[in-house]
Amino acid sequence: NAGVMQNPRHLVRRRGQEARLRCSPMKGHSHVYWYRQLPEEGLKFMVYLQKENIIDESGMPKERFSAEFPKEGPSILRIQQVVRGDSAAYFCASSLYGGGNTEAFFGQGTRLTVV
Amino acid sequence: KNEVEQSPQNLTAQEGEFITINCSYSVGISALHWLQQHPGGGIVSLFMLSSGKKKHGRLIATINIQEKHSSLHITASHPRDSAVYICAVSFNAGGTSYGKLTFGQGTILTVHP
């Protein structure tokens, strides 16, 4: 049973390009969370999705960022027109249930560098 | 405000020493997680607690719900334990909760041989 798979592990984009980060949850998990870790800062919540639905996007910047978790395929975090400040490690976590007392499994992260 | 505070921020130890990392949080929670992150690496879940104490190998995690405090202990520390240890909680929100995590700043642990 493969763990949470994120790809790519490293992504370099020029300012103004688009970045697409993918997250395949553990088999059977329908709850996905995206977190961002800025350099020298702690992890911060971005968005919580359950198959085909965005449940909570309170941590996501209002512009340029979007997320989806389609019925088939991985969850995608999309950043349009990237800027240097978007350089960070982006982690996703998946869980079997949506409750607060549920174990979360993290991926290896995608390190985004904007040049 | 829902907050998570960890201490210390940095911790240096000699191999074999007993290590304690502390975590405090501000309001009621559903669960508290201890996570480990190696430099440039992914995040590994060590424990999830909602009460009491859990042990796995040389790692022990405790939580006191009344005092809103948790500790992670490492017995007989080893250089391979060097990593960032992160406390994270899922807060109760108006009687309901889900798995959204709020994180502490992390504790950078360095164990010297």
Side-chain angles (χ1 to χ4, degrees):
Chain A
N1 185 13
V4 178
M5 304 299 291
Q6 287 189 250
N7 64 80
R9 290 288 305 276
H10 300 273
L11 182 61
V12 179
R13 283 286 177 265
R14 296 188 186 279
R15 281 178 293 170
Q17 290 185 319
E18 178 180 288
R20 291 172 72 88
L21 287 61
R22 287 176 291 278
C23 170
S24 296
M26 286 185 69
K27 188 176 180 181
H29 288 194
S30 59
H31 301 266
V32 166
Y33 304 81
W34 284 93
Y35 299 98
R36 179 165 69 171
Q37 187 174 42
L38 290 166
E40 309 303 322
E41 292 190 22
L43 286 147
K44 296 282 195 300
F45 167 79
M46 297 184 76
V47 61
Y48 164 39
L49 308 105
Q50 188 182 357
K51 277 291 184 182
E52 299 186 88
N53 293 301
I54 296 174
I55 308 300
D56 180 347
E57 56 183 346
S58 59
M60 198 123 85
K62 294 285 187 287
E63 297 179 356
R64 301 188 298 107
F65 285 72
S66 62
E68 62 176 10
F69 189 13
K71 187 176 180 181
E72 301 291 337
S75 175
I76 307 285
L77 180 67
R78 183 182 178 206
I79 311 171
Q80 294 179 289
Q81 299 175 321
V82 296
V83 301
R84 289 237 168 94
D86 297 331
S87 296
Y90 293 82
F91 290 92
C92 82
S94 75
S95 62
L96 184 58
Y97 305 110
N101 200 5
T102 302
E103 190 170 5
F105 296 84
F106 284 82
Q108 290 290 303
T110 293
R111 269 91 183 159
L112 172 65
T113 302
V114 179
V115 297
Chain B
K1 186 177 178 185
N2 297 346
E3 292 182 334
V4 181
E5 296 288 336
Q6 273 185 248
S7 64
Q9 288 192 341
N10 288 280
L11 182 55
T12 301
Q14 287 298 125
E15 183 173 356
E17 286 185 356
F18 181 85
I19 286 162
T20 296
I21 301 170
N22 296 298
C23 176
S24 298
Y25 50 91
S26 54
V27 296
I29 63 170
S30 294
L32 182 143
H33 302 248
W34 281 103
L35 310 168
Q36 181 192 56
Q37 184 178 25
H38 283 99
I43 296 169
V44 175
S45 178
L46 299 174
F47 296 102
M48 185 184 75
L49 296 159
S50 53
S51 65
K53 175 180 174 178
K54 286 190 176 179
K55 184 175 189 293
H56 184 256
R58 295 181 293 106
L59 302 178
I60 302 166
T62 63
I63 189 168
N64 185 317
I65 295 294
Q66 286 72 33
E67 294 188 3
K68 297 185 176 60
H69 180 269
S70 175
S71 293
L72 176 69
H73 305 286
I74 304 176
T75 62
S77 60
H78 190 277
R80 65 175 174 265
D81 296 326
S82 298
V84 178
Y85 291 84
I86 303 167
C87 169
V89 302
S90 51
F91 285 109
N92 282 325
T96 62
S97 69
Y98 55 88
K100 166 185 174 180
L101 295 177
T102 301
F103 299 84
Q105 283 295 96
T107 295
I108 302 171
L109 171 65
T110 305
V111 181
H112 293 295

